[in-house]
């Protein structure tokens, strides 16, 4: 009986840990939007999918990420200024492809002026199996 209790306890712990995982399409999409709300553009760029060939030179990769974050900041702040910033989000739907390698998360974004719109965030797994935002085709 004691072994059964221990086994059930372990199963509950494992299930709790996996349900709180930040490596799901929904969690990554939500984190990306939160980065935009918080104006954490470097954090957002860290969530982007980069092809293996782009990660060969670590110094170049870091420089490219900084440049991309600066570009994103300039574009996003101009865009969000019109709508008085991005204020909240709601996840509407998460769809993972049958092969388990790509996903789409549909989200509702709400802006400071009350306007809202739905957007699809496309994701794919990187070589380490982590979900990343796929900003490619």
């Amino acid at each position: 009986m004691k072994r059964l209790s221990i086994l059930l306890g372990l199963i509950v712990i494992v299930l709790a840990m996996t349900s709180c995982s930040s490596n799901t399409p929904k969690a990554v999409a939500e984190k990306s939007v939160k980065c935009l709300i918080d104006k954490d553009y470097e954090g957002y760029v860290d969530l982007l999918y980069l092809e293996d060939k782009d990660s060969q030179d670590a110094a170049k990769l870091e420089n490219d990420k900084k440049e991309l974050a600066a570009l994103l900041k300039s574009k996003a702040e101009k865009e969000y200024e019109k709508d008085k910033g991005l204020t909240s989000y709601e996840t509407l739907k998460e769809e993972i492809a049958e092969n388990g390698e790509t996903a789409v998360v549909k989200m509702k974004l709400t802006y400071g002026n009350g306007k809202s719109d739905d957007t699809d965030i496309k994701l794919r797994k990187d070589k380490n199996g982590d979900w990343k935002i796929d900003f490619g085709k």
Side-chain angles (χ1 to χ4, degrees), residues 62-77:
E62 283 305 309
N63 187 50
D64 289 349
K65 283 183 172 183
K66 285 181 182 179
E67 288 178 9
L68 187 55
L71 178 65
L72 179 63
K73 177 181 179 181
S74 122
K75 296 283 186 185
E77 288 186 356

Side-chain angles (χ1 to χ4, degrees), residues 31-44 69 72-73 76-78 80-81 84-86:
K31 184 174 181 181
S32 73
V33 174
K34 182 149 179 30
C35 284
L36 294 176
I37 289 171
D38 295 342
K39 298 181 181 183
D40 177 11
Y41 302 110
E42 289 179 6
Y44 182 87
L72 179 63
K73 177 181 179 181
E77 288 186 356
K78 285 179 186 174
Y80 293 147
E81 188 176 300
K84 298 186 180 172
L86 183 59

Side-chain angles (χ1 to χ4, degrees), residues 62 104 113:
E62 283 305 309
V104 176
N113 63 1

Side-chain angles (χ1 to χ4, degrees), residues 91-133:
T91 303
L92 303 174
K93 188 165 141 183
E94 174 188 63
E95 294 178 5
I96 300 174
E98 284 186 31
N99 67 6
E101 294 296 315
T102 61
V104 176
V105 177
K106 183 178 252 343
M107 300 188 81
K108 179 179 180 179
L109 305 178
T110 304
Y111 301 90
N113 63 1
K115 176 183 155 191
S116 66
D117 59 18
D118 293 350
T119 188
D120 289 340
I121 299 177
K122 296 177 184 175
L123 300 107
R124 70 185 305 172
K125 285 188 177 177
D126 67 7
K127 66 181 179 180
N128 299 321
D130 295 325
W131 287 102
K132 299 287 184 172
I133 299 168

Side-chain angles (χ1 to χ4, degrees), residues 1-15:
M1 188 66 170
K2 186 175 182 179
R3 285 186 181 185
L4 182 59
S5 297
I6 291 171
L7 180 61
L8 289 174
L10 287 174
I11 290 172
V12 168
I13 290 170
V14 169
L15 288 175

